[in-house]
Amino acid sequence: MYSTSQKLIAEFIGTFALIFFGAGSICTDQYLHGASGLGLLGIALAHGLAIAIMVSALGHISGGHFNPAVTILYWAAQLAGATAAALVLKAVVPEETWRAVALGTPELARDFPRWAGMALEAVTTFFLVLVVFATAVDEKGAFRSIAGFAIGLTISLGILVAGPLTGAALNPARAFGPALSATHWANHGVYWVGPLGGGFVAGLLYDSLYLKKA
């Protein structure tokens, strides 16, 4: 068994990694603009790989949530990790680069309505949390060894679909850390309402249909 402090530190580190490598990839893509940029696929893979690796490395300690949409238990540690990572990026990335992308803060595409942004964030987060429950939470499943891989791929898929339209946070901490560090709060509520709503429905559905069955 791990202590509460050990679990909180694991959640801090995992969320730090997601924002550092995920938002960092957006900054890098901006820095390489006009050259061989990472593009949408590269950014999606950076986020997915960061989560896949962290869930595989730390999931046995805290459950590898790294996302307030998965559980309320570790919100403080997750938001702190996200903010710390964004501040490190702000300190090391050239200012003109990080300002151009607001440190990778998710943002709605021009003329893309907020309700649609919330819906897109909700649907993509629904599938993310569903996969978390099915692979990392359900003890009757035989797939815990692939949980990190499955969760990471789901995040990458979500970014490939929603990235150009909403920035594809799928995670309130992913939006909060960069937004706080870059003081860029435009449409910020979208990245709480959408993911929390989608995550809640996914958790309720899986718990009702599968976890409580004998």
Side-chain angles (χ1 to χ4, degrees), residues 15 17 27-28 63 66 87 117 129 135 163 184:
T15 312
C27 293
T28 297
F66 315 138
L87 288 174
V129 175
T135 61
H184 184 79

Side-chain angles (χ1 to χ4, degrees), residues 50-164:
I51 281 294
I53 293 169
M54 287 298 101
V55 170
S56 299
L58 302 174
H60 66 288
I61 298 175
S62 66
H65 301 154
F66 315 138
N67 187 341
V70 176
T71 178
I72 65 172
L73 295 177
Y74 304 122
W75 274 25
Q78 292 162 350
L79 296 178
T83 302
L87 288 174
V88 170
L89 289 173
K90 184 177 181 179
V92 300
V93 174
E95 183 174 359
E96 64 273 16
T97 297
W98 71 256
R99 283 195 181 278
V101 293
L103 277 173
T105 304
E107 178 58 289
L108 296 181
R110 184 176 181 180
D111 298 326
F112 194 68
R114 290 177 182 172
W115 70 264
M118 290 181 189
L120 195 52
E121 288 287 321
V123 172
T124 50
T125 307
F126 170 88
F127 284 102
L128 171 60
V129 175
L130 187 73
V131 170
V132 170
F133 269 74
T135 61
V137 176
D138 193 345
E139 294 184 356
K140 297 189 297 293
F143 306 106
R144 282 197 169 190
S145 60
I146 68 158
F149 180 69
I151 294 167
L153 280 181
T154 306
I155 289 176
S156 293
L157 285 174
I159 293 174
L160 288 175
V161 172

